[in-house]
Amino acid sequence: MTSGSSSGPSGGPSGVAGRVALVTGGGSGIGRACAEALAGAGAFVHVVDVDAEAAEAVAARIGGRAHTADLADPSAVDSLPSAVDVLVNSAGLQHVAAIEDFPPERFELLQRVMVHAPFLLLRRTLPHMYGRGWGRVVNISSVHGLRASAFKSGYVAAKHALEGLSKVTALEGAPHGVTSNCVNPGYVRTPLVERQIAAQAEAHGIPAERVVEEVLLRGSAIKRLIEPEEVAAVALWLCGPHTGHVTGASLPMDGGWTAA
């Protein structure tokens, strides 16, 4: 197949109207915002989350379909749709500890959810994309896919691995009209980050507002949390009509963190 030639079931070339999308971690945070943005642009969205109630709520609101899946279990991927045009890997979790105190089973869990599951999902969905001559893979990475922070060995390792997987997908998918990119936000206003703020406030004995400005955003030139909808807008743009040559890229949304 040649790159980007298929116009799909409806709409113009490389648009998402009439396409089918699958979003992991779609029950909350960035995943939910991506599901809503894709549905708003006319895609049918499969909402995948470990939280059944959250997935059902989002799917009902956007007219999609909910799937309950614990992506730490490789067999869970087998039950998910394969006929997918847009894959958004957004599911993630965090654990903060020094390397010598980091539980090995927790480290492994982060890799299973944020590296192994995206790999399995790619194996499952790429044949369909190749057959259609069009596909978009959007990996919700992190500034920690480009930079390291102390005490986050599991998360940083997983995000760096996701970056590499995304680039290989871009190279292999290019002849088939499939692009693969990472979006690299700094701290986003999600339940995961809200829990980190609360933990840091307790540990340092300071208000949550000071944690955001003095701890989380210390390396960022822009001193505010990113909203999930801002990340989703970039993810949707990567699926749009003018991004057929944007592939293998990592797009920082870090408020200037990596500029320093």
Side-chain angles (χ1 to χ4, degrees), residues 24-130:
T24 69
S28 67
I30 296 171
R32 178 176 63 192
C34 287
E36 292 171 344
L38 287 162
F44 179 85
V45 183
H46 294 284
V47 181
V48 180
D49 205 282
V50 70
D51 184 333
E53 186 175 342
E56 291 283 358
V58 174
R61 187 163 62 251
I62 66 174
R65 180 182 173 190
H67 302 265
T68 306
D70 180 359
L71 296 180
D73 178 4
S75 66
V77 174
D78 296 337
S79 66
L80 298 177
S82 60
V84 169
D85 306 305
V86 177
L87 172 63
V88 180
N89 289 307
S90 183
L93 65 160
Q94 178 65 279
H95 187 84
V96 180
I99 291 174
E100 64 271 23
D101 298 322
F102 211 105
E105 64 277 8
R106 194 69 178 173
F107 185 94
E108 183 184 0
L109 174 64
L110 268 64
Q111 312 315 305
R112 289 205 306 268
V113 172
M114 293 190 285
V115 185
H116 195 207
F119 165 72
L120 293 176
L121 284 163
L122 285 166
R123 289 186 79 250
R124 188 165 179 80
T125 59
L126 282 176
H128 172 81
M129 297 184 195
Y130 290 175

Side-chain angles (χ1 to χ4, degrees), residues 87-227:
L87 172 63
V88 180
N89 289 307
S90 183
L93 65 160
Q94 178 65 279
H95 187 84
V96 180
I99 291 174
E100 64 271 23
D101 298 322
F102 211 105
E105 64 277 8
R106 194 69 178 173
F107 185 94
E108 183 184 0
L109 174 64
L110 268 64
Q111 312 315 305
R112 289 205 306 268
V113 172
M114 293 190 285
V115 185
H116 195 207
F119 165 72
L120 293 176
L121 284 163
L122 285 166
R123 289 186 79 250
R124 188 165 179 80
T125 59
L126 282 176
H128 172 81
M129 297 184 195
Y130 290 175
R132 298 289 288 271
W134 190 94
R136 295 292 180 263
V137 178
V138 180
N139 299 297
I140 305 301
S141 182
S142 165
V143 67
H144 284 115
L146 306 173
R147 295 287 189 273
S149 289
F151 310 115
K152 296 183 178 179
S153 58
Y155 189 83
V156 171
K159 291 302 187 183
H160 273 67
L162 183 63
E163 296 280 328
L165 178 62
S166 180
K167 289 177 171 62
V168 173
T169 306
L171 296 178
E172 294 186 12
H176 306 280
V178 175
T179 66
S180 175
N181 295 284
C182 287
V183 182
N184 301 75
Y187 286 100
V188 183
R189 195 185 305 278
T190 64
L192 186 149
V193 169
E194 296 287 1
R195 288 192 292 271
Q196 288 186 63
I197 293 171
Q200 290 286 333
E202 183 177 355
H204 293 282
I206 59 177
E209 301 76 31
R210 287 185 57 193
V211 170
V212 172
E213 292 186 12
E214 299 173 18
V215 180
L216 299 188
L217 302 182
R218 184 172 57 234
S220 175
I222 299 175
K223 303 297 184 183
R224 71 167 179 83
L225 294 176
I226 304 163
E227 300 301 328

